Each structure stands twice: as C-alpha cells, then as structure tokens.
Amino acid sequence: PAVVDHIVVKQAIIADRHVKRILELGKQANIAIFTVGDPGEQSTLMHAGYFLESDIEILRANKTVGDICSRFIDINGHISHETLNDRTIGIELSHLDEKEYGILIAGGNTKVEGIYGALRGRHANVLITDQYTARALLDIGGDQI
C-alpha cells in the first residue's frame, strides 16, 4: 500500500529489511522518472479507498493540485496534508529534489496545476509534456517556474 491508516503501520512496514532496501535504492538513484497524479475523484488512490473522508476534506480545503509518488502537493509544490504524508510509504519529495535528473512526464488539462506545483516545488528539473500543456503552464505563470 502507498498509504496506511496509522503511522505505526507505516513504521512497521518500512522497518522490514526488504522494504527498507528498496526505499534506500530509490533514495540513492541519481535519476527519477515520475508523473503527477490528479487529486480528483478519478484518482487511482481515491478509487482504491486509501483515504478517510476527513483526508479528502483536508486535501480539498488545502487546495491540493496533485500527487507525486502518492505525496499530495499544493500549487507551490508543498505537502498539502502533513498527516496523510506521514502515513505514506515511498520516496520523500525531498529525495526527488536531490536527483541529478528528476524527470516529470505528464500532460493534459486535468494535470496542469499539478505539473505547475511540481515544477514550483523544484521536485523535477526535466519536464516531458505536450505542446498544449506547455502553453497552459506558461499561461498560468510560466515565468515563476
């Protein structure tokens, strides 16, 4: 699971030597390739039932624009729900920020704000997208990314 109900469950899972090794390899890699997820109702994580209703309310209230590796961000690329983030298993955004190449592959009008947030947060230094998404990013403030 990417997200668990309680932080103690996360701590137990990441203490497993096999999980710990995989997470460490992800941290050590100099290249990361990832996408940004849509935070809406059609989100894979929403459909999988990972969230409590209170989690969904907080994500909405904090104007969440997307997720990177199941870590939900706002338009500036900051974590938008700290408690949910604390229960998330996977690479930390701070580790993505340190990559020699953080390659974000995403496109489409439902992901523009999420891409923008990922770039504003400096979680990626390479973007692969389509011309329409690129134009939309410039239109909402390309000079600020």
Side-chain angles (χ1 to χ4, degrees), residues 48-135:
Y50 281 114
F51 307 119
L52 304 170
E53 188 58 39
S54 60
D55 291 327
I56 295 169
E57 290 171 14
I58 292 169
L59 290 170
R60 285 187 188 130
N62 292 341
K63 299 182 173 126
T64 300
V65 296
D67 79 276
I68 302 168
C69 302
S70 303
R71 307 230 180 237
F72 287 84
I73 60 169
D74 64 18
I75 197 75
N76 293 308
H78 302 129
I79 295 295
S80 63
H81 187 332
E82 287 293 340
T83 306
L84 183 63
N85 190 61
D86 290 342
R87 298 181 351 240
T88 301
I89 299 168
I91 191 165
E92 299 281 345
L93 292 184
S94 61
H95 296 152
L96 285 180
D97 303 352
E98 299 166 356
K99 301 296 180 201
E100 182 179 351
Y101 295 102
I103 304 168
L104 172 59
I105 303 173
N109 53 343
T110 62
K111 293 191 175 188
V112 170
E113 288 184 334
I115 296 167
Y116 185 82
L119 295 174
R120 287 272 313 206
R122 305 281 187 245
H123 305 304
N125 55 25
V126 176
L127 172 63
I128 300 174
T129 193
D130 60 84
Q131 66 181 348
Y132 304 107
T133 302
R135 171 55 50 203

